[in-house]
Amino acid sequence: MAEDLQIIVGNKADQYQSLIPQIKGLLEGEPDLIANLANVVAALKEQFGWFWVGFYLVKPSVADSSSELVLAPFQGPVACTRIKKGRGVCGSSWAEAKTIVVPDVEKFPGHIACSSLSKSEIVVPVIRNNEVVAVLDVDSDEYDQFDSTDQKYLEEIVNLIAF
Ligand code: SME
C-alpha cells in the first residue's frame, strides 16, 4: 500500500533524487498502466507544484486510420484531449522522438495553448521498441522553468514505467 509521499525542500536535483526511489516504490508490483501514470503525475505535482503535469498516450485516431495523442492521467486544469503528430510541443516531441524544452511558449511556433496561464513547458517522449508510445508534458505558469536537469530526471522517470 502506498504511504504518504515525502516532500523535500532543496535544489532541483535533490528533489528528483528524493522522488525517484519513491516513484519506484509506487510502481513496484503494479501492472496497471493507468494506475501507474496517475501516481507518477501525482507524485511530480506534489513535489514540484507545477501548473500542469500529465501524460498523452499514442492511440488510434477517431477520424482516420492514423494515430494521435490522447489525454491520459494528469494533474492541473482541464486540457486539450487530442493532439496530432507534429502539432504543438507534444506532437513535435512525438514526431521527433526527443525531449523539447520551451522557455517561453509564445515563442514556440504552433504551441497549443490549453491554458493562457502556461508560460514554459517540457515534453518528454516515452519510447518503447523504437516507437513513441506516449509523452509526458509539464507546464509552468512561470517562464524558463525547465532545463537539462529536468530533462535528465524526467527521462529517467518515464523509463521506470512499464508500457
Ligand atoms: N501545450 C501543449 C498542449 C498540451 S497542454 O499544455 C496540457 C502543446 O503545445 O503540445
Side-chain angles (χ1 to χ4, degrees):
M1 199 182 106
E3 294 175 13
D4 284 351
L5 202 71
Q6 197 194 333
I7 302 303
I8 67 141
V9 179
N11 68 34
K12 216 181 243 187
D14 289 343
Q15 292 183 67
Y16 280 112
Q17 283 164 20
S18 154
L19 196 58
I20 285 172
Q22 299 187 75
I23 287 178
K24 283 182 183 162
L26 290 167
L27 297 173
E28 202 178 300
E30 177 50 67
D32 189 88
L33 177 62
I34 298 300
N36 288 334
L37 298 180
N39 257 345
V40 169
V41 295
L44 288 167
K45 174 82 171 171
E46 224 179 313
Q47 174 62 56
F48 291 100
W50 289 315
F51 176 68
W52 197 94
V53 50
F55 284 93
Y56 282 87
L57 298 178
V58 175
K59 289 190 164 186
S61 164
V62 279
D64 53 40
S65 61
S66 69
S67 299
E68 59 192 357
L69 292 171
V70 182
L71 186 63
F74 71 95
Q75 298 247 332
V78 295
C80 326
T81 52
R82 289 174 184 273
I83 299 173
K84 291 277 182 204
K85 196 171 195 174
R87 301 287 303 276
V89 188
C90 292
S92 300
S93 173
W94 175 19
E96 294 166 30
K98 68 175 179 69
T99 296
I100 300 179
V101 175
V102 183
D104 177 351
V105 295
E106 281 140 47
K107 293 188 177 140
F108 187 93
H111 168 257
I112 300 165
C114 293
S115 166
S116 60
L117 295 176
S118 174
K119 302 293 184 215
S120 59
E121 182 165 3
I122 182 170
V123 179
V124 177
V126 184
I127 300 169
R128 297 291 180 271
N129 299 320
N130 292 319
E131 292 218 352
V132 176
V133 294
V135 300
L136 171 65
D137 180 17
V138 184
D139 287 51
S140 172
D141 56 6
E142 291 176 55
Y143 293 108
D144 203 11
Q145 288 301 296
F146 304 105
D147 56 25
S148 56
T149 301
D150 298 285
Q151 174 168 355
K152 168 180 149 73
Y153 288 108
L154 291 175
E155 287 176 355
E156 191 177 325
I157 288 169
V158 300
N159 281 329
L160 299 173
I161 305 166
F163 272 79

